[in-house]
Amino acid sequence: GENVEQHPSTLSVQEGDSAVIKCTYSDSASNYFPWYKQELGKRPQLIIDIRSNVGEKKDQRIAVTLNKTAKHFSLHITETQPEDSAVYFCAASRGGSNYKLTFGKGTLLTVNP
Amino acid sequence: GAGVSQSPSNKVTEKGKDVELRCDPISGHTALYWYRQSLGQGLEFLIYFQGNSAPDKSGLPSDRFSAERTGGSVSTLTIQRTQQEDSAVYLCASSLASRSNYGYTFGSGTRLTVV
Protein backbone atom coordinates (compact mmCIF):
# COMPACT_ATOMS: atom_id res chain seq x y z
CA GLY A 1 0.00 0.00 0.00
CA GLU A 2 0.88 3.67 -0.06
CA ASN A 3 3.48 5.05 2.35
CA VAL A 4 3.85 8.80 2.91
CA GLU A 5 6.92 10.20 4.66
CA GLN A 6 6.85 13.77 5.94
CA HIS A 7 9.62 15.98 7.28
CA PRO A 8 10.57 17.82 9.31
CA SER A 9 8.46 16.69 12.26
CA THR A 10 8.88 20.12 13.88
CA LEU A 11 9.71 23.47 12.34
CA SER A 12 10.19 26.80 14.08
CA VAL A 13 10.44 30.04 12.10
CA GLN A 14 10.36 33.75 12.78
CA GLU A 15 7.30 35.71 11.73
CA GLY A 16 7.72 36.87 8.15
CA ASP A 17 10.07 34.04 7.18
CA SER A 18 9.13 31.22 4.79
CA ALA A 19 8.40 27.64 5.83
CA VAL A 20 8.77 24.53 3.68
CA ILE A 21 7.44 21.07 4.51
CA LYS A 22 8.32 18.10 2.31
CA CYS A 23 6.63 14.76 1.68
CA THR A 24 7.52 11.69 -0.34
CA TYR A 25 5.17 8.93 -1.43
CA SER A 26 5.71 5.38 -2.59
CA ASP A 27 2.76 4.55 -4.86
CA SER A 28 3.39 5.83 -8.39
CA ALA A 29 -0.36 5.51 -9.08
CA SER A 30 -1.18 8.22 -6.53
CA ASN A 31 -2.57 11.27 -8.27
CA TYR A 32 -4.06 13.53 -5.60
CA PHE A 33 -2.05 15.30 -2.88
CA PRO A 34 -3.87 17.45 -0.31
CA TRP A 35 -2.50 19.34 2.67
CA TYR A 36 -4.39 19.70 5.93
CA LYS A 37 -3.88 22.17 8.77
CA GLN A 38 -4.83 21.16 12.30
CA GLU A 39 -4.85 23.80 15.00
CA LEU A 40 -4.62 22.69 18.60
CA GLY A 41 -7.80 20.89 19.65
CA LYS A 42 -9.46 21.41 16.28
CA ARG A 43 -10.30 19.21 13.30
CA PRO A 44 -7.92 18.94 10.31
CA GLN A 45 -8.94 21.32 7.53
CA LEU A 46 -7.98 21.20 3.87
CA ILE A 47 -5.85 24.19 2.93
CA ILE A 48 -4.63 23.33 -0.56
CA ASP A 49 -4.40 20.34 -2.86
CA ILE A 50 -2.74 19.40 -6.14
CA ARG A 51 -3.36 16.75 -8.77
CA SER A 52 -0.73 14.88 -10.71
CA ASN A 53 -1.36 16.74 -13.97
CA VAL A 54 -0.13 19.99 -12.38
CA GLY A 55 3.36 20.85 -11.16
CA GLU A 56 2.54 23.80 -8.92
CA LYS A 57 -0.48 25.47 -7.37
CA LYS A 58 -0.64 28.70 -5.43
CA ASP A 59 -3.23 30.29 -3.14
CA GLN A 60 -2.13 33.62 -1.66
CA ARG A 61 0.74 32.84 0.77
CA ILE A 62 0.51 29.08 0.30
CA ALA A 63 1.88 27.04 -2.59
CA VAL A 64 2.34 23.36 -3.27
CA THR A 65 4.78 21.82 -5.74
CA LEU A 66 4.77 18.28 -7.09
CA ASN A 67 7.58 16.28 -8.68
CA LYS A 68 5.99 13.08 -10.01
CA THR A 69 9.25 11.63 -11.24
CA ALA A 70 10.85 11.88 -7.82
CA LYS A 71 7.55 11.17 -6.05
CA HIS A 72 7.71 14.10 -3.73
CA PHE A 73 5.63 17.18 -3.03
CA SER A 74 6.13 20.21 -0.84
CA LEU A 75 4.15 22.90 0.96
CA HIS A 76 5.54 26.42 0.94
CA ILE A 77 4.22 29.14 3.23
CA THR A 78 5.58 32.64 2.66
CA GLU A 79 5.43 35.65 5.00
CA THR A 80 4.49 33.42 7.91
CA GLN A 81 2.22 34.77 10.65
CA PRO A 82 1.63 33.50 14.21
CA GLU A 83 -1.78 32.19 13.14
CA ASP A 84 -0.01 29.81 10.76
CA SER A 85 1.19 27.90 13.85
CA ALA A 86 -0.41 24.44 13.68
CA VAL A 87 0.26 20.84 12.70
CA TYR A 88 0.34 20.32 8.94
CA PHE A 89 -0.37 16.94 7.34
CA CYS A 90 0.33 15.90 3.79
CA ALA A 91 -1.57 13.03 2.18
CA ALA A 92 -1.78 11.02 -1.02
CA SER A 93 -4.54 9.12 -2.80
CA ARG A 94 -4.94 7.10 -5.97
CA GLY A 95 -8.43 8.33 -6.60
CA GLY A 96 -10.36 6.27 -9.12
CA SER A 97 -11.87 3.31 -7.30
CA ASN A 98 -10.22 4.06 -3.97
CA TYR A 99 -10.28 7.59 -2.60
CA LYS A 100 -8.70 6.73 0.74
CA LEU A 101 -6.03 9.19 1.86
CA THR A 102 -2.76 8.02 3.38
CA PHE A 103 -1.37 10.71 5.66
CA GLY A 104 2.13 11.69 6.67
CA LYS A 105 2.88 11.90 10.39
CA GLY A 106 2.56 15.66 10.50
CA THR A 107 4.78 18.72 11.00
CA LEU A 108 4.36 21.01 14.00
CA LEU A 109 4.99 24.52 12.69
CA THR A 110 5.63 27.25 15.24
CA VAL A 111 5.81 30.85 14.04
CA ASN A 112 7.52 33.05 16.63
CA PRO A 113 6.40 36.70 16.78
CA GLY B 1 -26.15 18.70 7.22
CA ALA B 2 -23.72 21.56 6.88
CA GLY B 3 -20.77 19.60 8.18
CA VAL B 4 -19.69 16.22 9.49
CA SER B 5 -21.16 15.61 12.95
CA GLN B 6 -19.69 13.25 15.49
CA SER B 7 -21.07 12.17 18.84
CA PRO B 8 -20.31 12.06 21.62
CA SER B 9 -17.57 14.69 21.62
CA ASN B 10 -16.03 13.10 24.71
CA LYS B 11 -16.37 9.61 26.13
CA VAL B 12 -14.81 8.19 29.26
CA THR B 13 -15.26 4.47 29.72
CA GLU B 14 -13.96 1.75 31.96
CA LYS B 15 -11.56 -0.82 30.60
CA GLY B 16 -13.46 -3.83 29.28
CA LYS B 17 -16.64 -1.95 28.40
CA ASP B 18 -17.98 -1.56 24.84
CA VAL B 19 -18.36 1.87 23.22
CA GLU B 20 -20.17 3.17 20.14
CA LEU B 21 -19.08 6.27 18.29
CA ARG B 22 -21.37 7.93 15.77
CA CYS B 23 -20.66 9.86 12.58
CA ASP B 24 -23.21 11.76 10.50
CA PRO B 25 -21.57 12.72 7.17
CA ILE B 26 -22.35 15.62 4.86
CA SER B 27 -25.53 14.91 2.92
CA GLY B 28 -24.71 13.54 -0.51
CA HIS B 29 -21.18 12.44 0.34
CA THR B 30 -20.81 8.86 -0.81
CA ALA B 31 -17.56 8.09 0.97
CA LEU B 32 -17.04 7.92 4.74
CA TYR B 33 -13.78 7.31 6.57
CA TRP B 34 -12.72 6.65 10.15
CA TYR B 35 -9.27 7.60 11.42
CA ARG B 36 -7.67 7.50 14.85
CA GLN B 37 -5.33 10.14 16.23
CA SER B 38 -3.39 9.36 19.37
CA LEU B 39 -1.92 12.21 21.42
CA GLY B 40 0.61 14.08 19.31
CA GLN B 41 0.47 11.46 16.58
CA GLY B 42 -0.61 11.32 12.97
CA LEU B 43 -3.84 10.13 11.40
CA GLU B 44 -4.14 6.35 11.46
CA PHE B 45 -6.60 4.93 8.89
CA LEU B 46 -9.21 2.54 10.30
CA ILE B 47 -11.99 1.89 7.76
CA TYR B 48 -13.50 3.34 4.58
CA PHE B 49 -17.03 3.05 3.17
CA GLN B 50 -17.67 3.87 -0.49
CA GLY B 51 -21.27 3.76 -1.72
CA ASN B 52 -22.57 0.18 -1.80
CA SER B 53 -19.13 -1.40 -2.11
CA ALA B 54 -17.70 -3.67 0.55
CA PRO B 55 -15.86 -1.50 3.11
CA ASP B 56 -12.08 -1.32 3.21
CA LYS B 57 -11.37 -2.63 6.72
CA SER B 58 -7.63 -2.95 6.26
CA GLY B 59 -6.81 -0.42 9.01
CA LEU B 60 -8.82 -1.92 11.88
CA PRO B 61 -6.22 -2.80 14.56
CA SER B 62 -8.01 -5.85 15.97
CA ASP B 63 -11.27 -7.77 15.81
CA ARG B 64 -12.52 -5.72 18.76
CA PHE B 65 -13.09 -2.91 16.26
CA SER B 66 -16.02 -2.91 13.83
CA ALA B 67 -18.03 -0.35 11.94
CA GLU B 68 -21.18 -0.16 9.92
CA ARG B 69 -22.83 2.40 7.74
CA THR B 70 -26.60 2.22 7.52
CA GLY B 71 -28.48 3.43 4.47
CA GLY B 72 -25.35 4.95 3.00
CA SER B 73 -25.41 7.71 5.60
CA VAL B 74 -24.76 7.49 9.34
CA SER B 75 -21.89 5.31 10.52
CA THR B 76 -21.18 3.74 13.89
CA LEU B 77 -17.73 2.63 15.03
CA THR B 78 -17.90 0.04 17.80
CA ILE B 79 -15.02 -0.90 20.06
CA GLN B 80 -15.61 -3.99 22.20
CA ARG B 81 -13.82 -4.76 25.45
CA THR B 82 -11.98 -1.44 25.40
CA GLN B 83 -8.32 -1.30 26.41
CA GLN B 84 -6.27 1.67 27.63
CA GLU B 85 -4.36 1.75 24.34
CA ASP B 86 -7.68 2.51 22.58
CA SER B 87 -7.62 5.99 24.15
CA ALA B 88 -7.40 8.47 21.28
CA VAL B 89 -9.40 10.95 19.23
CA TYR B 90 -11.51 9.13 16.65
CA LEU B 91 -12.07 11.28 13.57
CA CYS B 92 -14.67 10.71 10.91
CA ALA B 93 -14.50 12.29 7.47
CA SER B 94 -16.67 12.24 4.38
CA SER B 95 -16.12 13.13 0.75
CA LEU B 96 -17.94 13.28 -2.57
CA ALA B 97 -15.49 10.72 -3.90
CA SER B 98 -15.99 11.80 -7.50
CA ARG B 99 -13.25 12.09 -10.09
CA SER B 100 -13.32 15.86 -9.78
CA ASN B 101 -13.64 16.18 -6.02
CA TYR B 102 -12.43 13.83 -3.35
CA GLY B 103 -11.05 16.02 -0.60
CA TYR B 104 -12.13 15.13 2.91
CA THR B 105 -14.23 17.13 5.34
CA PHE B 106 -13.49 16.04 8.90
CA GLY B 107 -15.76 16.01 11.90
CA SER B 108 -14.61 17.40 15.25
CA GLY B 109 -13.87 13.95 16.57
CA THR B 110 -14.72 11.88 19.62
CA ARG B 111 -12.12 11.92 22.38
CA LEU B 112 -12.17 8.45 23.93
CA THR B 113 -10.53 7.88 27.30
CA VAL B 114 -10.35 4.36 28.69
CA VAL B 115 -9.68 4.26 32.43
Side-chain angles (χ1 to χ4, degrees):
Chain A
E2 175 68 277
N3 182 49
V4 177
E5 301 282 342
Q6 180 173 349
H7 57 95
S9 56
T10 61
L11 179 60
S12 182
V13 300
Q14 289 300 122
E15 182 176 358
D17 287 351
S18 295
V20 180
I21 302 170
K22 298 182 180 182
C23 289
T24 61
Y25 61 99
S26 61
D27 187 351
S28 57
S30 287
N31 60 14
Y32 175 66
F33 308 92
W35 287 86
Y36 285 80
K37 175 184 180 182
Q38 187 176 31
E39 296 176 4
L40 189 62
K42 302 265 183 83
R43 73 188 79 187
Q45 294 201 296
L46 178 68
I47 56 171
I48 195 167
D49 57 15
I50 193 167
R51 296 180 190 274
S52 59
N53 58 345
V54 174
E56 183 174 0
K57 184 176 178 180
K58 205 171 179 182
D59 182 4
Q60 298 182 343
R61 296 186 297 109
I62 293 172
V64 57
T65 58
L66 170 65
N67 183 328
K68 278 192 66 180
T69 304
K71 289 190 283 189
H72 69 69
F73 56 113
S74 300
L75 178 71
H76 305 252
I77 307 173
T78 58
E79 301 170 29
T80 53
Q81 300 167 5
E83 52 265 38
D84 295 329
S85 296
V87 178
Y88 291 80
F89 292 96
C90 64
S93 170
R94 284 187 162 206
S97 61
N98 189 333
Y99 297 101
K100 177 180 75 180
L101 288 173
T102 300
F103 287 87
K105 292 196 181 302
T107 296
L108 173 61
L109 172 65
T110 303
V111 180
N112 301 301
Chain B
V4 178
S5 297
Q6 290 189 247
S7 60
S9 54
N10 279 285
K11 176 73 177 177
V12 180
T13 190
E14 291 181 354
K15 179 181 170 182
K17 294 275 177 75
D18 298 352
V19 294
E20 284 189 352
L21 312 179
R22 177 188 167 104
C23 173
D24 198 344
I26 291 174
S27 178
H29 279 194
T30 59
L32 186 149
Y33 316 81
W34 284 97
Y35 285 77
R36 178 168 72 175
Q37 187 171 34
S38 301
L39 187 61
Q41 299 299 309
L43 297 160
E44 177 190 3
F45 168 73
L46 297 177
I47 189 168
Y48 157 41
F49 297 90
Q50 170 66 53
N52 295 320
S53 303
D56 176 352
K57 304 180 182 180
S58 60
L60 294 179
S62 77
D63 58 8
R64 295 186 296 103
F65 288 73
S66 63
E68 62 177 22
R69 188 179 186 193
T70 53
S73 182
V74 173
S75 176
T76 302
L77 176 69
T78 301
I79 309 173
Q80 296 179 307
R81 306 180 301 282
T82 51
Q83 304 293 314
Q84 288 185 327
E85 60 263 28
D86 299 335
S87 296
V89 175
Y90 288 81
L91 287 164
C92 175
S94 68
S95 76
L96 277 172
S98 69
R99 288 184 66 183
S100 60
N101 187 340
Y102 42 103
Y104 288 6
T105 301
F106 280 94
S108 296
T110 293
R111 181 175 299 278
L112 175 66
T113 304
V114 182
V115 297

